[in-house]
Amino acid sequence: MWRQAPRSQDPNSGAALNARLDHRNPLVFDTHELGRRPGAMQKLSRTVQAPGGDNVFGIADVIAIPGDSPVEIDLRLESVMDGVLVTGTARAHAEGECVRCLEPLERELTADFQEMFSYPEAEERHRRMAGTDADSDEDESITPLEDGMFDLEPVLRDAVVLSLPMQPVCREDCPGLCAVCGALLADDPDHHHDAVDARWAALQGLAGTMPAGEKDELDGAETGVDEKQEK
């Protein structure tokens, strides 16, 4: 999957932008060792803890990687003319809820991603060629390196969301819940409710309070009415 992430539009680029990235953040990667020679390549592997709360990797309240659970990341960094091409795979354990029966479910997740991070001078060159200024919306497709570093978190979050099912189910043939009483149909495949003609619902309730003789007469009356309606 190729993803172009929106870049920061802070007009005071440089030090202000660089201050955003903390090299101690496990999802921030440094490209200085890679160098700028086109064709140079570096492979990295790292295990990080998934964020929780509002920053969860996944679809909140549907299916996501639980906060603080491990995410294994394999990256390949390639130096190209205008920046660094990052290709990677993330593996993690996702948890959620079946949309049919509401039972908990688990999934092993593999998410592939690719992103281009440009050198600052390449970004400037792109703007000049496009005839735009630093605040133009047309430059949102460019993701710049910041002091040789890049933040993988937004790329990884998008890749995880796209790899997860929007409507997860515990199994493809999950029968769900009974629409009448909410019973779990997987536990009782023969579960059903007898259909009652709404026209006779009140009479049936009344029949439960009648003596046996009067009840038989009422049943006979209902049968006679049904026969007439059939004719």
Side-chain angles (χ1 to χ4, degrees), residues 8-214:
S8 170
Q9 295 189 40
D10 188 342
N12 301 314
S13 58
L17 276 176
N18 295 341
R20 289 195 310 111
L21 297 186
D22 185 348
H23 69 276
R24 295 169 297 182
N25 184 332
L27 286 173
V28 170
F29 292 81
D30 194 327
T31 67
H32 285 100
E33 291 187 9
L34 176 67
R36 289 199 174 192
R37 183 173 59 84
M41 185 179 69
Q42 183 182 18
K43 292 185 178 181
L44 300 172
S45 294
R46 186 176 296 180
T47 299
V48 303
Q49 290 184 328
D54 295 337
N55 296 320
V56 66
F57 284 170
I59 308 169
D61 301 324
V62 179
I63 185 169
I65 301 174
D68 295 331
S69 63
V71 181
E72 298 178 2
I73 303 172
D74 293 323
L75 293 181
R76 184 181 67 196
L77 280 55
E78 297 176 82
S79 179
V80 296
M81 187 66 67
D82 290 336
V84 177
L85 179 63
V86 178
T87 305
T89 300
R91 298 177 181 83
H93 179 79
E95 297 179 0
E97 185 179 86
C98 177
V99 296
R100 296 179 187 171
C101 66
L102 308 183
E103 289 293 300
L105 58 81
E106 300 180 357
R107 290 287 185 274
E108 294 304 319
L109 167 72
T110 298
D112 297 322
F113 52 88
Q114 188 175 68
E115 178 76 356
M116 176 71 179
F117 294 91
S118 65
Y119 297 130
E121 62 270 22
E123 180 186 6
E124 290 294 335
R125 184 167 61 251
H126 173 81
R127 283 204 299 266
R128 289 196 302 269
M129 293 177 61
T132 60
D133 56 38
D135 296 326
S136 173
D137 292 340
E138 294 182 16
D139 284 337
E140 289 187 5
S141 63
I142 300 176
T143 309
L145 288 166
E146 299 178 14
D147 194 23
M149 297 185 294
F150 64 88
D151 184 4
L152 190 65
E153 182 170 342
V155 179
L156 186 57
R157 177 176 288 105
D158 287 355
V160 168
V161 169
L162 292 175
S163 299
L164 290 170
M166 298 298 292
Q167 294 187 317
V169 291
C170 58
R171 66 178 202 234
E172 291 300 323
D173 60 346
C174 174
L177 302 175
C178 174
V180 177
C181 67
L184 188 62
L185 297 180
D187 292 342
D188 185 8
D190 296 326
H191 178 85
H192 71 281
H193 294 269
D194 294 328
V196 177
D197 192 328
R199 296 172 299 175
W200 303 112
L203 291 177
Q204 288 181 343
L206 179 62
T209 63
M210 288 183 175
E214 295 183 11

